[in-house]
Each structure stands twice: as C-alpha cells, then as structure tokens.
Amino acid sequence: MELNLTKPICFFDLETTGTNVAKDRIVEIAILKVFPNGNKESKTWLVNPEMKIPKEVVAIHGISDEKVANEPTFKELSSQVHEMIKGCDLAGYNSNRFDIPLLVEELLRAGVDFEMKNVVAVDVQTIFHKKEQRTLAAAYQFYCGKDLIDAHSAEADTTATYEVLKSQLDRYDDLQNDMKYLADYSARKRFADFAGFIAFNKKGEEIFAFGKFKGQNVEKVLEDEPGYYGWIQNADFPLYTKKVLTAIKLRKLNNKLS
C-alpha cells in the first residue's frame, strides 16, 4: 500500500554520539523524502560532531572519530537539512522519543528556528510495538520478509522504516492511510516539548512532568516561583524545552497585559 499523503513526508534516521538529547550530537543523518505523487528524494550525510565518539557507541554504528574528522559540522549542513524537511511531516523509528528531539536541538544550536506546530510525526516503532512488540530488524523481517543488512546504518534503517510503514498499512485494515491519524496512533503521552519535561493534562494545560513541581500547572508555578524559570534556563535542559517554557511565560504575561 502506498502512503496517502497531502504533503511530503520525510523518513529519517540519526546515528549519534549517545542518547542524551541535550549533550549528544549527530554523526550521520539520512533522509528519505516521499512526495504525494510517489516520487522520492534521499540524502545521507556524515557529520563531524565536534566531540569524541565513545568507543562503545562506535562499536554499534561503526562511525569513528577518524571517519568524520573531515566531514562538515551539523551547523554547516543545517541549511541543507532544513531545506529538505521544511513543510514536510516527519517519520522514523523511535523518532518521537529520540530522533526528532535531537534533530530539533541540533537545528536550534545551529540557529535554525525549526517549528513543529504544523508538522505531524509518525513513529513506526510505536505502531510496531502496539501490534507486535519487536525490534526494527524483526519488524523488517516480519512485515517485509527481508533481512535488515547493515543495521545501524542510517541509510539502511531509514529505508527499512519506510518499507515497514507501508507494509503495516497493508497488514492492518484498522490503520488509516492518513498521516495525522498515524501520528496520533503512534504518539505516546502528549508533551509540549520533545524531551518530555512539559506535558499536557486532561484539560490541555501544560504541566511539569518532572521534579518537585511534577504534575503542577506550569503557568501557576512560574507565577508563584519565578526563580524556577531562571533555574531551568541556566541548567542543562534541551533548548527546545527552554523555548517552550519561554513561550508559556510570555503568553501568561501577554494575557495579563491584554
């Protein structure tokens, strides 16, 4: 089954220096852009992370310091990456919890003010886990009947993810071939930021999802404890989390003034 698209969707995968969204960096990024007419465009970049790649991480994806020493930094590639994904929906494997948050962090660090408000994100891993509870290699074998060669290669993982989603739509009649539906289906708990520090309650209000104010309304906490905002801004939180918190603070201030 081909995807029913109203606008392009970019399947992407990252290989990184680690799993900390705020601190780690991209070493490889592959993007497969699928257009509503079925045309495809793909691009893969190796990236100099400007930091040491831990040996245990090199053992997983095979990308060493030497391999990326002469490659461009993400900041140097950021305009190309942004040009390829802007105006598109996004999809990946475990992308909602890791790849999208880290990609947005890298874009913000590079000075690209990427916004997700009009973008839906389809997480193929979540669909798979709700249906079958396996890994990407097992998903590829289960849905496509193929072995995943070069697993942990960004390009191979990206292509496999795209093929798995199409096969999931073929297999499950209850899955709608609609990106907004698939984004909602593959979403976990709703968060205002990507890293999961600010969530939404049942009323759609932002609440803190961590720390001493966990479960409490963000606007009220910022009003009652103004120093908490400054602490977060100066602490080691993801840039996008800080951006969302600032927007909430400014919204509250504007509501008071109006």
Side-chain angles (χ1 to χ4, degrees):
M1 182 182 293
E2 290 302 322
L3 303 183
N4 180 22
L5 303 175
T6 57
K7 63 180 179 179
I9 185 169
C10 285
F11 291 79
F12 77 101
D13 186 70
L14 308 177
E15 302 301 336
T16 67
T17 59
T19 58
N20 187 311
V21 170
K23 293 182 178 179
D24 282 303
R25 299 292 188 267
I26 295 170
V27 297
E28 186 180 30
I29 177 170
I31 302 174
L32 172 64
K33 188 172 185 176
V34 184
F35 295 87
N37 64 3
N39 289 346
K40 302 179 188 69
E41 173 187 346
S42 63
K43 184 69 178 177
T44 301
W45 296 273
L46 284 171
V47 184
N48 184 337
E50 301 181 279
M51 65 180 289
K52 296 287 290 183
I53 307 172
K55 291 181 180 179
E56 59 270 22
V57 178
V58 175
I60 295 173
H61 55 48
I63 301 172
S64 62
D65 294 328
E66 294 74 20
K67 189 171 182 179
V68 295
N70 297 316
E71 299 295 336
T73 65
F74 188 86
K75 186 171 185 178
E76 292 170 329
L77 292 170
S78 59
S79 60
Q80 297 178 61
V81 173
H82 184 239
E83 183 65 28
M84 192 165 184
I85 68 173
K86 71 179 182 180
C88 302
D89 290 329
L90 298 176
Y93 196 84
N94 193 33
S95 50
N96 285 359
R97 290 198 297 177
F98 181 69
D99 295 81
I100 289 176
L102 184 54
L103 178 61
V104 172
E105 282 297 294
E106 289 276 38
L107 287 169
L108 290 174
R109 279 192 288 262
V112 178
D113 192 15
F114 185 70
E115 186 54 68
M116 286 286 294
K117 285 183 179 177
N118 298 315
V119 176
V120 300
V122 180
D123 193 328
V124 173
Q125 185 195 59
T126 303
I127 297 174
F128 183 37
H129 283 181
K130 283 185 174 182
K131 294 295 186 181
E132 306 296 344
Q133 305 293 313
R134 301 285 170 85
T135 63
L136 176 57
Y140 197 50
Q141 177 60 241
F142 182 86
Y143 288 111
C144 306
K146 304 175 185 177
D147 292 325
L148 179 53
I149 308 301
D150 294 329
H152 296 296
S153 155
E155 185 173 4
D157 288 356
T158 297
T159 301
T161 300
Y162 167 59
E163 292 184 20
V164 166
L165 179 57
K166 292 198 297 179
S167 294
Q168 286 174 330
L169 290 168
D170 282 328
R171 180 176 290 265
Y172 305 115
D173 293 337
D174 60 321
L175 288 182
Q176 297 176 28
N177 192 351
D178 174 82
M179 296 308 107
K180 179 65 169 62
Y181 169 85
L182 292 172
D184 290 340
Y185 186 88
S186 62
R188 291 181 169 87
K189 186 176 180 180
R190 287 183 63 226
F191 291 100
D193 64 337
F194 294 121
F197 291 105
I198 303 173
F200 290 102
N201 61 19
K202 292 180 180 179
K203 297 179 182 178
E205 302 166 337
E206 295 96 344
I207 59 173
F208 283 110
F210 74 101
K212 62 180 180 179
F213 296 115
K214 184 175 181 179
Q216 296 188 35
N217 183 282
V218 173
E219 283 192 3
K220 189 173 188 313
V221 170
L222 295 183
E223 185 172 13
D224 296 343
E225 301 283 345
Y228 199 58
Y229 171 81
W231 174 73
I232 291 177
Q233 293 299 321
N234 292 312
D236 192 21
F237 285 90
L239 294 176
Y240 196 77
T241 299
K242 295 178 181 179
K243 178 182 176 181
V244 168
L245 196 64
T246 299
I248 295 171
K249 183 180 176 69
L250 291 174
R251 183 184 69 204
K252 178 68 173 178
L253 180 61
N254 290 334
N255 287 340
K256 280 186 174 181
L257 295 175
S258 60

